[in-house]
Amino acid sequence: GSSMAITGPNGSGKSTLLQIVAGLQRTVSGTVTRRVNDAEITVENFSAYAGYTGPLVNPYDMLSAVENLQFTVTDSTAMERISDMLAYFDLYKDRNKIVKYYSSGMKQRLKLIHAFINDPVIIMLDEPASALDPISTQKIEELIQELKQNYTIIIVTHNMQQAARVSDYTAFFYMGELIEINKTETIFTKPEKIMTENYITGKFG
């Protein structure tokens, strides 16, 4: 029922953290505990609860959008959502087109559908608006606002304005370290750490 933005300059560890949570990378040290509705979930079972999209997710270029999504869906209900999701992301008319001939923005929208299609409990989005035009970016942000009523959404973004628009909570990372985490309104109006304030005001990063 809420959304969290993980933000910070390039190379600060945002994407690495999300990939570790998603089970796509191993930790060098330390441990990760995944809990869904107060129940601890193993990394092997976590994919049943979470949808992820990011640089490690790429569609099959020689298949159509529909064929790509058919590989992704886990049940008949998700299969029925394919057309609706393609329509929402303005890909329906190109649904049978080979993805190799998609623009970068179209491929990005297809990757986003992969994260949503199986109706997960947790949705993890790594820079979901990269390569998207302003209209598509607005649509993604509106979708996040809509979905966070019923899902937990974690979004990695270096765009502070986007974090302010879509998130209830914001975590600020720098050089692999969590500097501050708080309600987004507090982060942007009264941050506790001077490093957070400097980043928000553009003094570094």
Side-chain angles (χ1 to χ4, degrees):
S2 64
S3 59
M4 171 175 285
I6 302 173
T7 191
N10 291 335
S12 59
K14 307 182 299 296
S15 295
T16 299
L17 173 65
L18 202 66
Q19 290 165 12
I20 288 172
V21 173
L24 300 173
Q25 280 201 48
R26 294 182 180 275
T27 55
V28 176
S29 62
T31 58
V32 175
T33 301
R34 299 163 183 83
R35 292 184 178 275
V36 179
N37 296 327
D38 295 324
E40 188 169 330
I41 308 298
T42 65
V43 65
E44 291 81 10
N45 294 327
F46 190 61
S47 61
Y49 296 87
Y52 166 91
T53 192
L56 299 184
V57 176
N58 290 294
Y60 296 106
D61 269 357
M62 299 312 297
L63 299 178
S64 69
V66 169
E67 290 169 333
N68 266 277
L69 293 172
Q70 286 172 342
F71 275 111
T72 303
V73 296
T74 57
D75 55 45
S76 58
T77 302
M79 185 72 76
E80 293 171 359
R81 281 199 296 271
I82 288 178
S83 293
D84 290 340
M85 293 299 287
L86 287 168
Y88 185 90
F89 284 96
D90 295 326
L91 291 175
Y92 186 79
K93 66 180 183 299
D94 296 300
R95 64 192 182 281
N96 294 316
K97 186 177 181 179
I98 301 301
V99 171
K100 177 181 179 179
Y101 302 107
Y102 273 23
S103 67
S104 58
M106 292 168 71
K107 287 182 180 179
Q108 180 71 359
R109 282 179 273 154
L110 180 59
K111 287 169 64 174
L112 284 165
I113 297 175
H114 280 275
F116 296 121
I117 194 69
N118 289 312
D119 197 26
V121 176
I122 300 167
I123 299 171
M124 297 179 288
L125 307 173
D126 190 350
E127 299 288 359
S130 64
L132 296 183
D133 58 66
I135 294 175
S136 297
T137 296
Q138 181 181 354
K139 183 166 284 192
I140 295 302
E141 293 180 0
E142 289 173 352
L143 181 64
I144 291 171
Q145 294 285 12
E146 177 184 341
L147 290 177
K148 75 178 185 181
Q149 307 304 319
N150 299 306
Y151 302 91
T152 296
I153 297 178
I154 308 172
I155 174 173
V156 163
T157 177
H158 66 271
N159 186 323
M160 298 297 285
Q161 290 75 26
Q162 185 173 74
R165 288 193 295 267
V166 303
S167 66
D168 300 303
Y169 299 89
T170 295
F172 172 58
F173 269 74
Y174 184 70
M175 297 293 288
E177 182 180 353
L178 174 61
I179 304 301
E180 185 171 352
I181 183 170
N182 213 325
K183 290 183 178 179
T184 296
E185 182 180 1
T186 301
I187 288 284
F188 280 89
T189 59
K190 196 176 181 181
E192 296 178 356
K193 307 290 186 179
I194 187 66
M195 190 177 292
T196 308
E197 182 177 349
N198 287 343
Y199 183 69
I200 290 172
T201 57
K203 293 180 181 177
F204 82 92

